[in-house]
Amino acid sequence: MKLSEIKHAGLVKWVNEVAALTTPDEVVVCTGSKAEYDGLIEGMVKSGLATRLNPEKKPGSVLFRSDPSDVARVEKRTYISCAKQEDAGPTNNWIDPVELKATMTGLYKGCMKGRKMYVIVFSMGPVGSAFSKIGVEITDSEYVVCNMIIMTRVGTKVIENLGTDGYFVPCLHSVGKPLAAGEADNGVWPCAPMEHKYIAHFTDDKVIWSYGSGYGGNALLGKKCLALRIASVLARDEGWLAEHMLILKITNPEGKVKYITAAFPSACGKTNLAMLIPTIEGWKVETLSDDIAWLRYGKDGRLYAMSVETGFFGVAPGTSAKSNPNALAAASKNTIFTNVALTEDKDIWWEGIGYDAPGTVIDWHGNPWTQDKANKEQAPAAHPNSRFTAPAEQCPCVAKEWNDPKGVPVSAILFGGRRPSTIPLVHMSRSWTHGTFLGSIVGSEVTAAALDVASGIRRDPMAMKPFIGYNAGDYFQHWLDVGAAAKDQSLLPKIFYVNWFRKTQDGKWLWPGYGDNSRVLKWVFECCDGTAKTVDTPIGIMPTVDAIDRPEGVSEEDMKALLSVDVEGWKKELEDVRKNHYPEFGDKMPKALWDVLDDVEARLDKASKPRRCCHCCK
Ligand code: TSX
Ligand code: MN
């Protein structure tokens, strides 16, 4: 499509300015059609950047290997750039926008030489929904265009919807690797050195500039940059929530439906939970989103969650027929794989796929690799952050309403983390404010490779720490404000904290997890209906030991361990929150959350003091 066909003067002006700065050979407006996608993939196969997979085993699918320096989001090069540093807050890198724009303009000068510049007009959320946001990504990466076509709604319909003066978020991206005359990528992943990489969010004018990386959240600007960081700012200003949450639909044996959202730090199996297959008779779980949810009040006063993406950009290693057959099915065709291993018969393989590597495979560096199970130190064949980009509609358990422009009414919000001790299998907050407190203290144990945190817990409030586009203290206050704005507190979702990762003293998993988590979801469901068996505890509302159906292999003792309050452990936990976590947010930390901390500590104190029933037993 030609730029002259676009009727939006502001968009055309911006595109022309960017073209003048970056000097591409050609400007292409993306239509999002299958022919366009296929043509771009074909071009990348020809240039050696992509490998076509076996059409019998993975029809319509390709493999990319990125540069070893460009394999993940780079938080140290990610910036919230606004006039006042305080507005970026303690959790974000900050550079003054005047300075950062000057630096990046210098880098963008001539950076698309020898390349095509693509204009991707995309919608986060269904096209035309009052809650959707349109973005326009300008990029010089065909890989980005193809991923955006899977992950978002791209092209003609969105351009039409944008009209002559519709609002859009400008998203500028370049891999930062211009080509000399006659030069081609020749199979080399284009990107710039680390010190030239920038992922910048100009939050005062809601503009995204990304330079130097072609990978994932650094480059697919609709996802983390727009739908979380910029959207969180819009959400604060407009009174809604942009959250790092999956959305699932759960149906009980009587056919009653509820919708649950859930936020977890990385490596907790969020995609697995979104696509869970229940082990309890008659229950069903379906998926609306595995990563991002936008929540706002409906006319009925309930909080609605809308799914904003159209695909899954999932971590490949660990995905198996056992852990997540639905994700494997979603990625069985028309999928882009990045940095996984390639088998001799042009299929894919990765660590934790559920079977041994067949013969010698090509690892993510492009080198022959033969599995050596005796060698615990062997470098993996697939990069630990290797990915599949798969269309949501290919997921066998996608809910029919995943596309609904008004979203779905939320009954429960789950927070969770990877916690071998202290945190029980599940507990429910006493109120929205207490639930916000639980979200604010979310954390996961740090892995052996990164023992940089004294407590061994890395806090990741609401699993949003890297994605809050403004001051995190203000974000906590915004959560409280959203709850306070409910026209009826009883219509608010109930908020839970779950922990699938409890271990015994000798390091064995106490809970089988995966499909058996449906037993916890059942209790959550019952809490929302007011039929659950509950007990009030110092930390919140918990299931009685017999309230949750016990999976095979879990003894009654185990269940008691999973569902008891570790009073001393919780006191240490809250001391860490008081001394190390909350102070990070300084004056911006809402008093209401300090008050919850005081309240829970007082309840724990009361529980640990020997009770005096009368004068005779002092
Ligand atoms: O995704 C996971 N979930 C959520 C599933 C809906 N994982 C994988 C985490 C890494 C991404 C889990 N790992 C879960 C879980 O609930 N639980 C565990 C821990 C665990 C691992 C293995 C076993 C039991 C628990 N059991 C056996 O291997 C036999
Ligand atoms: Mn995510």
Side-chain angles (χ1 to χ4, degrees):
M1 186 170 169
K2 291 264 178 316
L3 187 59
S4 57
E5 292 171 64
I6 291 188
K7 306 279 178 281
H8 192 296
L11 174 54
V12 173
K13 179 168 176 278
W14 176 59
V15 171
N16 282 326
E17 283 166 7
V18 171
L21 174 66
T22 60
T23 65
D25 288 358
E26 195 183 330
V27 176
V28 179
V29 177
C30 298
T31 63
S33 71
K34 177 156 189 335
E36 178 180 72
Y37 178 89
D38 290 346
L40 290 170
I41 293 285
E42 180 60 26
M44 288 187 284
V45 169
K46 283 212 172 103
S47 77
L49 224 49
T51 305
R52 211 177 280 288
L53 296 175
N54 185 332
E56 237 107 78
K57 306 203 160 186
K58 294 284 181 292
S61 302
V62 285
L63 166 67
F64 288 83
R65 290 184 204 104
S66 78
D67 188 89
S69 73
D70 199 22
V71 292
R73 287 188 299 104
V74 277
E75 286 180 12
K76 66 176 190 290
R77 307 296 308 173
T78 300
Y79 296 89
I80 297 299
S81 183
C82 44
K84 281 194 260 163
Q85 181 165 11
E86 190 188 42
D87 292 340
T91 58
N92 288 304
N93 299 316
W94 178 87
I95 298 178
D96 180 89
V98 175
E99 179 189 336
L100 186 53
K101 279 183 182 172
T103 304
M104 291 186 75
T105 300
L107 291 168
Y108 281 129
K109 214 164 271 172
C111 73
M112 296 189 187
K113 212 171 172 44
R115 297 188 183 276
K116 286 185 186 171
M117 182 178 110
Y118 299 90
V119 180
I120 312 168
V121 183
F122 64 95
S123 178
M124 299 313 290
V127 181
S129 163
F131 309 137
S132 297
K133 299 286 177 196
I134 292 176
V136 180
E137 177 161 358
I138 294 181
T139 182
D140 53 7
S141 162
E142 288 83 8
Y143 172 84
V144 165
V145 176
C146 291
N147 275 272
M148 287 293 286
I149 287 176
I150 296 176
M151 294 302 295
T152 73
R153 295 146 175 102
V154 168
T156 325
K157 262 184 80 175
V158 193
I159 295 170
E160 227 167 81
N161 187 260
L162 189 59
T164 55
D165 60 353
Y167 175 74
F168 68 93
V169 177
C171 311
L172 173 54
H173 172 253
S174 172
V175 293
K177 178 78 179 65
L179 295 169
E183 189 188 354
D185 284 322
N186 281 330
V188 179
W189 176 270
C191 62
M194 191 58 80
E195 65 273 20
H196 288 169
K197 286 184 169 75
Y198 288 93
I199 297 93
H201 308 73
F202 299 101
T203 49
D204 294 334
D205 39 6
K206 279 102 187 165
V207 166
I208 300 162
W209 284 6
S210 168
Y211 184 90
S213 166
Y215 200 87
N218 302 334
L220 314 176
L221 303 184
K223 196 178 181 63
K224 305 301 187 185
C225 299
L226 196 165
L228 289 176
R229 297 195 193 95
I230 294 293
S232 69
V233 176
L234 297 170
R236 176 199 60 191
D237 296 345
E238 298 169 6
W240 51 282
L241 294 168
E243 296 299 322
H244 191 202
M245 289 177 178
L246 64 85
I247 312 171
L248 66 79
K249 172 185 181 182
I250 180 163
T251 310
N252 78 359
E254 288 76 55
K256 196 166 177 184
V257 169
K258 291 187 196 303
Y259 300 96
I260 299 176
T261 68
F264 297 84
S266 58
C268 289
K270 209 165 119 198
T271 302
N272 298 341
L273 182 64
M275 302 178 187
L276 166 144
I277 299 173
T279 54
I280 42 177
E281 193 62 29
W283 289 73
K284 189 157 96 179
V285 166
E286 293 161 279
T287 313
L288 289 100
S289 165
D290 81 327
D291 198 37
I292 298 173
W294 286 358
L295 298 102
R296 30 177 121 222
Y297 287 110
K299 289 202 179 75
D300 58 1
R302 295 191 66 186
L303 203 56
Y304 281 66
M306 186 177 79
S307 173
V308 297
E309 300 184 283
T310 54
F312 309 119
F313 185 64
V315 173
T319 309
S320 70
K322 237 173 139 183
S323 72
N324 197 338
N326 286 313
L328 280 189
S332 64
K333 55 182 181 183
N334 308 320
T335 294
I336 298 172
F337 294 93
T338 308
N339 288 344
V340 304
L342 177 69
T343 66
E344 236 157 28
D345 60 354
K346 299 269 188 291
D347 201 351
I348 48 79
W349 187 85
W350 52 68
E351 280 71 19
I353 199 171
Y355 51 87
D356 291 342
T360 295
V361 301
I362 306 297
D363 71 11
W364 71 276
H365 291 285
N367 300 323
W369 184 96
T370 314
Q371 194 166 17
D372 177 5
K373 286 203 273 186
N375 178 5
K376 291 272 170 277
E377 244 91 273
Q378 187 180 27
H383 188 278
N385 192 38
S386 56
R387 299 282 172 155
F388 53 81
T389 316
E393 65 196 8
Q394 290 183 183
C395 183
C397 63
V398 71
K400 63 177 190 321
E401 58 274 62
W402 75 276
N403 249 317
D404 193 321
K406 61 180 189 313
V408 293
V410 180
S411 297
I413 296 173
L414 313 185
F415 291 114
R418 205 181 241 273
R419 297 295 303 267
S421 68
T422 315
I423 313 291
L425 179 61
V426 58
H427 67 296
M428 180 171 74
S429 69
R430 278 182 266 272
S431 65
W432 179 272
T433 302
H434 181 213
T436 302
F437 168 81
L438 293 181
S440 78
I441 67 168
V442 161
S444 261
E445 68 170 323
V446 294
T447 51
L451 287 172
D452 57 330
V453 185
S455 66
I457 308 298
R458 177 169 298 127
R459 301 286 167 191
D460 183 2
M462 282 82 171
M464 277 288 281
K465 193 172 185 194
F467 307 119
I468 304 167
Y470 56 99
N471 190 301
D474 291 335
Y475 168 80
F476 295 140
Q477 186 59 52
H478 180 59
W479 259 82
L480 297 169
D481 293 345
V482 166
K487 75 175 168 199
D488 179 345
Q489 292 286 308
S490 73
L491 294 176
L492 280 170
K494 300 202 179 305
I495 302 179
F496 299 79
Y497 200 117
V498 298
N499 179 18
W500 320 133
F501 298 94
R502 275 294 285 275
K503 283 180 177 170
T504 60
Q505 297 284 7
D506 42 348
K508 288 204 224 23
W509 297 113
L510 262 172
W511 181 252
Y514 298 97
D516 282 318
N517 294 336
S518 56
R519 298 164 198 272
V520 175
L521 298 183
K522 175 172 179 262
W523 184 76
V524 166
F525 190 108
E526 291 163 354
C527 282
C528 299
D529 272 347
T531 61
K533 284 201 198 172
T534 63
V535 51
D536 203 8
T537 81
I539 60 167
I541 295 148
M542 289 181 59
T544 56
V545 176
D546 62 342
I548 289 181
D549 311 35
R550 202 141 48 80
E552 214 176 298
V554 178
S555 68
E556 200 173 330
E557 283 306 298
D558 294 339
M559 211 63 203
K560 276 188 191 147
L562 285 159
L563 295 178
S564 60
V565 179
D566 172 1
V567 172
E568 292 313 309
W570 266 93
K571 283 186 174 173
K572 287 205 190 81
E573 176 82 14
L574 297 185
E575 187 184 284
D576 180 54
V577 170
R578 183 180 293 282
K579 300 253 165 73
N580 304 312
H581 180 44
Y582 274 12
E584 188 185 350
F585 309 103
D587 291 348
K588 291 281 193 179
M589 194 67 214
K591 180 174 180 300
L593 296 182
W594 282 111
D595 289 347
V596 176
L597 180 58
D598 291 344
D599 176 63
V600 179
E601 273 186 341
R603 289 171 191 255
L604 286 162
D605 275 337
K606 217 166 132 194
S608 64
K609 286 225 178 75
R611 235 164 299 204
R612 290 163 192 239
C613 58
C614 60
H615 67 278
C616 65
C617 44
K618 48 184 181 277

